[in-house]
Amino acid sequence: MTDAAEPVSPAVTPLLEPVEGTPPVISDARALADVAVRLAAGEGPVAFDAERASGYRYSQRAYLVQVRRRGSGTALIDPIALPDLSVIQEKVGGIEWVLHAASQDLPCLAELGLRPATLFDTELAGRLLGYERVGLGMMVERVLGFGLEKGHSAADWSTRPLPEPWLRYAALDVELLVELRDALAIELAQTGKLGFAHQEFAAIVAAPPREPRAEPWRRTSGIHRARSRRQLASVRAMWTARDKIARTRDIAPGRVLPDSAIIDAVLNAPADATELVKLPVFSGPRLRRSAAVWMAALAEAAALPDSDLPPATASTGGDGLPPPNRWAERDPIAAARLARVRASVNAIATAHHMPVENLVEPALTRRVAWSPPGEPAEASVADALRAGGARAWQVALTATAIAGALPERPATGQSATGQSATGQSATERAVAAPATAERAATEPGPSSAEPDPAGPAPSRPAVDAP
């Protein structure tokens, strides 16, 4: 997506060191208490970040927490040595927190007793503003003109002791986070999207923990090559055996057994361990030693009665709807309705320079298109969107257009394309009415008075539209 308002990048200045130097890692309770007092004495929002060991460990726990506030400096905290950070929560829990891609870090911060009352998500702000690349390094470069080091983002942060270059990288991640927040808040205000952002941020704060996927094994890479239900059962059995080992040993599942090895074993269907270890991935010493585990999983799947085999396809999102690519086969009328709704919503997203998934959750538009309200009037569609979790600004921007796209025949006073007697389509009316959406965003938004965009966000929080 291209936003014509996106600023031209200023000359980039490499940011190689934190302004106060790399702080020592806090690993004892007394030093942590001192940090909490120092943060409480600072000014403005508090920047948070967390480093995990994705790709190395099974868990998504934090292995380093970075905190920064104006007047307080940066603190690097070891959550392995200090698994309870409630003393930080007590001092700054009621202050606005600034995070980048907050939904990724909030779960592991919550495990440590850290939960924001209000927040500002700089990644989500970038999406709402139409930035094509919203990684922290690129956002800091485009908006502030500084280049951040990018070399350690995929490091194994469970390593102890943490190397000094990694700590420097971690400190730099929060060095300019509040400054980035301030600049983006001004852009949001200038484009009429600050109210949108406040509601999104509040939704992140209020969101319950994500439910586990119903069938996570179906995300195995290459599973499309498993053509029969029996082969799918074998993938499931091997995935489950691998997951048990990975969870017990706290190792990323792919380091126990790659997805490619699961698919290779399923497709070749070895008769015994001797045949299994002839396959390329299983021929190494480590996997040769665990061959009995994988053969047991394959044997378990082979012994299942047909009634216990998994279905060939899974429904999307656990909502009972067929996958979108099956709609034309299952219900051609609904498929046509979904195409009209998608076209309308895409047009609005393009006009407002934001990804369509941030304008309205795709799963929600699918539900409305599959089972539209009995009377597809704007009010009924608006109620359906709100019931599905859409925020007020999203409803204000999309309900009219979606209602206009649902009917199969012209409604009174409208053509088959959803045009009114004035010749303006529902989508065109939605695109042309940003002020209405902005008013909706502040009613029940964070505050009845628009806050200073460069100052703290409103007292009420706001989420990431999928």
Side-chain angles (χ1 to χ4, degrees):
M1 166 173 312
T2 300
D3 188 340
E6 186 171 338
V8 176
S9 296
V12 177
T13 301
L15 190 61
L16 304 177
E17 295 280 347
V19 66
E20 297 112 351
T22 304
V25 177
I26 303 300
S27 58
D28 67 82
R30 179 174 303 218
L32 180 65
D34 291 342
V35 166
V37 171
R38 195 167 76 239
L39 288 171
E43 299 178 351
V46 186
F48 276 88
D49 191 21
E51 305 296 344
R52 299 180 300 280
S54 303
Y56 295 91
R57 297 290 182 176
Y58 184 91
S59 74
Q60 291 299 306
R61 68 175 302 173
Y63 286 94
L64 187 71
V65 173
Q66 305 101 286
V67 193
R68 180 175 177 81
R69 193 180 188 194
R70 289 187 183 120
S72 304
T74 298
L76 303 179
I77 304 169
D78 181 356
I80 306 305
L82 297 166
D84 180 1
L85 301 185
S86 56
V87 64
I88 302 292
Q89 177 75 23
E90 292 168 4
K91 297 296 185 181
V92 299
I95 298 167
E96 181 194 271
W97 294 10
V98 183
L99 294 95
H100 192 81
S103 58
Q104 295 182 18
D105 287 341
L106 288 179
C108 68
L109 292 175
E111 292 177 356
L112 303 170
L114 296 173
R115 296 176 179 83
T118 62
L119 67 79
F120 190 106
D121 185 335
T122 50
E123 185 208 42
L124 181 51
R127 292 183 184 279
L128 293 175
L129 288 166
Y131 284 86
E132 290 186 355
R133 301 171 65 184
V134 293
L136 178 59
M138 183 53 64
M139 291 292 291
V140 168
E141 183 175 312
R142 289 299 303 266
V143 178
L144 302 178
F146 288 95
L148 295 179
E149 184 180 357
K150 304 172 184 176
H152 305 297
S153 59
D156 179 5
W157 289 90
S158 66
T159 300
R160 290 297 184 272
L162 287 166
E164 196 279 337
W166 297 15
L167 297 175
R168 184 170 64 249
Y169 161 89
L172 288 172
D173 265 3
V174 292
E175 183 84 4
L176 295 175
L177 203 51
V178 171
E179 287 77 4
L180 178 61
R181 171 248 183 261
D182 292 346
L184 293 176
I186 291 172
E187 282 192 56
L188 288 165
Q190 290 172 341
T191 55
K193 296 178 179 178
L194 188 58
F196 301 175
H198 286 151
Q199 287 200 10
E200 293 303 291
F201 301 156
I204 294 176
V205 172
R210 288 185 179 179
E211 293 291 331
R213 292 182 180 274
E215 295 179 308
W217 58 271
R218 287 190 185 268
R219 294 174 64 84
T220 304
S221 298
I223 196 171
H224 62 280
R225 298 169 61 197
R227 301 293 186 181
S228 70
R229 294 174 61 206
R230 183 72 58 184
Q231 288 179 327
L232 289 175
S234 296
V235 172
R236 180 178 63 184
M238 291 194 72
W239 186 96
T240 302
R242 181 185 68 175
D243 191 70
K244 181 179 180 181
I245 294 170
R247 184 189 298 270
T248 301
R249 296 168 58 189
D250 192 18
I251 298 175
R255 290 180 174 268
V256 174
L257 185 70
D259 282 4
S260 59
I262 292 178
I263 300 302
D264 200 20
V266 168
L267 297 182
N268 282 279
D272 53 34
T274 301
E275 288 191 15
L276 177 67
V277 298
K278 290 179 182 177
L279 299 177
V281 178
F282 292 90
S283 61
R286 182 173 59 84
L287 288 180
R288 287 176 68 91
R289 288 195 296 271
S290 60
V293 173
W294 314 121
M295 282 307 306
L298 291 172
E300 174 189 317
L304 287 175
D306 289 350
S307 59
D308 289 344
L309 298 178
T313 59
S315 62
T316 58
D319 54 11
L321 301 184
N325 60 2
R326 293 291 189 86
W327 281 37
E329 171 188 326
R330 293 276 300 275
D331 189 336
I333 294 176
R337 193 161 52 228
L338 177 62
R340 294 193 300 271
V341 168
R342 280 177 165 173
S344 294
V345 171
N346 285 341
I348 298 169
T350 299
H352 289 276
H353 304 294
M354 68 176 68
V356 66
E357 62 269 20
N358 290 112
L359 175 64
V360 62
E361 183 183 355
L364 181 52
T365 56
R366 287 196 298 270
R367 288 199 295 273
V368 172
W370 184 261
S371 300
E375 175 57 44
E378 180 179 346
S380 300
V381 171
D383 288 343
L385 292 174
R386 279 190 288 268
R391 269 69 71 190
W393 74 271
Q394 295 172 320
V395 174
L397 279 182
T398 63
T400 299
I402 292 175
L406 288 174
E408 299 161 33
R409 294 189 177 89
T412 303
Q414 293 200 347
S415 73
T417 59
Q419 286 189 325
S420 67
T422 65
Q424 190 180 42
S425 72
T427 300
E428 289 169 338
R429 295 196 300 277
V431 167
T436 300
E438 178 66 9
R439 287 195 300 273
T442 59
E443 291 171 2
S447 170
S448 58
E450 195 66 72
D452 179 356
S459 56
R460 287 187 58 187
V463 135
D464 202 336

